[in-house]
Amino acid sequence: MSVVTLKINDIDVAAEAGKTVLDAAREAGIRIPTLCHLDGVSDVGACRLCLIEIKGIPKLLPACVTEVAEGMDVTTHTPQLDEYRRMTVEMLFSEGNHVCAVCVANENCELQDVAIEVGMDHSRFTYRFPERGVDISHPQFGIDHNRCILCTRCVRVCDEIEGAHVWDVAGRGAAAKVITGLNQPWGDVDACTACGKCVDACPTGSIFRKGSTASELDRDRGKLEFLVKAREENQWTR
Amino acid sequence: MSFLDLDEWLFEVAKFADIVYSPVASDIKDYPEDVDVCLVEGAVANEENLELLYKVRQRTKFVISFGDCAVTANVPAMRNMLGSSEPVLKRCYLELGDKTAQLPHEPGIVPELLDRVRPIHELVEIDLFIPGCPPSAPRIQAAIEPLLKGEQPVMEGRSMIKFG
Ligand code: SF4
Ligand code: SF4
Ligand code: SF4
Ligand code: FES
């Protein structure tokens, strides 16, 4: 194991080569807000909340998909970065249809948590109010596209942990959405084992267990981490 | 109504402030001139809301966007996803109308619905946002108490700015 040394917010940090800046920052006790990152599955850099500055690089980079390098000089929080993060969250709210008051995830939502963290008391962007669907064809679960932020955590967890690959992203730009099977109703997709991992992975109220009413959705993220760890270390008891 | 949950603290407010206009706590029909602070609740859904909002902004020093409907347009705006006010009116007054199904149209008496329900800050300048559905009494108190002393409240953290 080779180790590189770098600076994060002027603190000297040693990290295993190949690790991401996000991992290194976390190990150093520095919190960077994230949404699309989920421990145990691959990173894709989709949400842009973890953007950081690296000295000598003229653009901002997502910490979750940037590998540490020797001598790197990283800044995770500046007034400008904080402002961009807040704008990103505001855009996520304006882009979809988030009505927290009637959402299953109210109080248990990572998007809400991040909004609080970045200090968002309102969105300065005009709300789009797109017309989006809800699919409740699955006997146990439902997906409400109005609350989906396209983080693709469901896609990755179903593919990489469950091995079923039910989810994908279809469409472009404003028309992009997560689909099940080949854009079939979720209930018709034979590959779905109804394991519920996507329910646990989703940071918002998009994927929910049927029958949960407003604010009832409580997720067990630990379950996903447990599964990954157990697989890696061959421990099959909890 | 959530404001009334402030219970006995309302007596404190009453020491410093006169209630000059309120849909629930006073009988005054016209919004007066020279108001110091106004808590505006609700999204802008019809022409009357819009007119009143402009009047409020014109005549008020410090306008507060109060509650999720004012701040995000919230539940009332769920009709925006249908494109315009038409599908909602049709559904309510024609499809579900009993004997004399007709669309309401009485200019000057029944305010026309706007095509889009909007949060108030999209229409006028706002001085403070108090989100929440509804904002809890402690949140309201924590936001208003500094104002009474001429200070700006700190709107940070779960207790002050969580939606829903
Ligand atoms: S998913 Fe989260 S942010 Fe969106 S409506 Fe539900 S609680 Fe609010
Ligand atoms: S329930 Fe399991 S198999 Fe089905 S879509 Fe979700 S993660 Fe994939
Ligand atoms: S459904 Fe949930 S997990 Fe999947 S992309 Fe949307 S927000 Fe992310
Ligand atoms: S967590 Fe890095 S881009 Fe989403």
Side-chain angles (χ1 to χ4, degrees):
Chain A
M1 176 180 99
S2 64
V3 168
V4 298
T5 52
L6 64 158
K7 263 190 203 309
I8 305 182
N9 299 345
D10 280 327
I11 302 167
D12 287 313
V13 175
E16 205 179 309
K19 286 260 178 179
T20 66
V21 175
L22 182 65
D23 288 333
R26 284 189 173 176
E27 264 164 48
I30 298 163
R31 197 188 139 75
I32 305 175
T34 57
L35 271 175
C36 65
H37 171 83
L38 179 68
D39 285 334
V41 296
S42 60
D43 278 301
V44 290
C47 73
R48 315 314 266 187
L49 266 180
C50 67
L51 286 181
I52 47 160
E53 278 175 16
I54 298 174
K55 202 174 230 161
I57 299 178
K59 58 184 181 181
L60 304 176
L61 292 175
C64 65
V65 287
T66 303
E67 273 184 29
V68 290
E70 186 59 40
M72 226 179 211
D73 188 350
V74 179
T75 311
T76 64
H77 286 79
T78 64
Q80 195 196 31
L81 281 175
D82 292 342
E83 174 63 14
Y84 286 161
R85 283 196 189 114
R86 179 172 162 174
M87 284 165 68
T88 305
V89 179
E90 286 174 25
M91 283 191 255
L92 288 172
F93 272 88
S94 311
E95 184 261 348
N97 296 311
H98 293 275
V99 189
C100 298
V102 293
C103 179
V104 283
N106 188 15
E107 308 277 353
N108 297 306
C109 172
E110 287 182 47
L111 180 57
Q112 258 185 353
D113 295 345
V114 156
I116 295 163
E117 187 176 350
V118 300
M120 171 187 159
D121 58 2
H122 74 289
S123 169
R124 289 163 289 182
F125 299 100
T126 309
Y127 287 90
R128 289 179 60 243
F129 298 112
E131 205 181 329
R132 291 190 187 164
V134 178
D135 177 3
I136 48 163
S137 59
H138 194 287
Q140 277 167 266
F141 316 120
I143 159 106
D144 183 342
H145 295 279
N146 291 288
R147 304 167 184 150
C148 175
I149 55 168
L150 290 174
C151 67
T152 70
R153 275 160 60 157
C154 53
V155 179
R156 286 170 282 147
V157 93
C158 183
D159 178 40
E160 296 170 21
I161 303 188
E162 180 59 7
H165 200 128
V166 170
W167 295 94
D168 257 311
V169 180
R172 283 159 181 264
K177 63 178 238 184
V178 286
I179 52 164
T180 38
L182 291 170
N183 203 8
Q184 292 153 281
W186 190 357
D188 292 352
V189 182
D190 291 339
C192 176
T193 62
C195 68
K197 291 189 179 68
C198 53
V199 188
D200 281 324
C202 180
T204 69
S206 309
I207 304 183
F208 52 89
R209 238 168 258 285
K210 276 189 173 174
S212 339
T213 51
S215 316
E216 239 181 9
L217 189 70
D218 208 357
R219 313 194 183 261
D220 186 4
R221 296 275 190 244
K223 190 165 89 193
L224 301 174
E225 248 173 87
F226 163 78
L227 286 170
V228 174
K229 193 157 182 272
R231 180 184 295 172
E232 280 165 1
E233 298 176 9
N234 287 321
Q235 316 163 326
W236 289 108
T237 48
R238 195 171 192 180
Chain B
M1 297 317 282
S2 191
F3 189 75
L4 298 181
D5 281 343
L6 288 165
D7 300 335
E8 67 271 14
W9 192 68
L10 287 169
F11 291 110
E12 289 302 306
V13 178
K15 280 190 209 152
F16 297 97
D18 298 322
I19 309 259
V20 292
Y21 182 90
S22 159
V24 289
S26 90
D27 246 349
I28 301 156
K29 300 284 182 262
D30 287 315
Y31 193 81
E33 302 276 353
D34 276 333
V35 179
D36 289 319
V37 179
C38 182
L39 301 164
V40 183
E41 48 91 20
V44 177
N46 66 32
E47 283 172 358
E48 190 187 20
N49 302 153
L50 188 61
E51 240 171 72
L52 181 59
L53 179 64
Y54 285 141
K55 198 181 278 176
V56 164
R57 180 66 274 186
Q58 227 175 22
R59 300 180 179 180
T60 317
K61 289 195 196 91
F62 198 87
V63 176
I64 300 175
S65 182
F66 185 67
D68 277 0
C69 291
V71 178
T72 73
N74 209 25
V75 175
M78 288 173 85
R79 76 161 155 89
N80 292 357
M81 302 154 200
L82 303 173
S84 73
S85 61
E86 206 184 282
V88 187
L89 287 171
K90 276 197 177 144
R91 180 75 185 144
C92 298
Y93 292 98
L94 299 183
E95 289 167 32
L96 299 176
D98 36 30
K99 288 197 181 106
T100 52
Q102 59 172 317
L103 289 176
H105 181 67
E106 210 57 63
I109 296 173
V110 183
E112 291 288 316
L113 288 190
L114 300 172
D115 259 356
R116 204 173 222 267
V117 182
R118 301 176 75 181
I120 65 171
H121 69 268
E122 279 187 19
L123 299 152
V124 296
E125 200 68 32
I126 296 301
D127 302 297
L128 184 73
F129 294 85
I130 310 182
C133 184
S136 65
R139 185 182 292 181
I140 301 170
Q141 183 173 348
I144 292 179
E145 213 164 14
L147 291 177
L148 292 173
K149 298 186 209 138
E151 293 160 15
Q152 190 75 11
V154 183
M155 302 303 288
E156 273 174 15
R158 183 164 281 270
S159 63
M160 295 309 281
I161 56 172
K162 192 192 81 72
F163 292 108

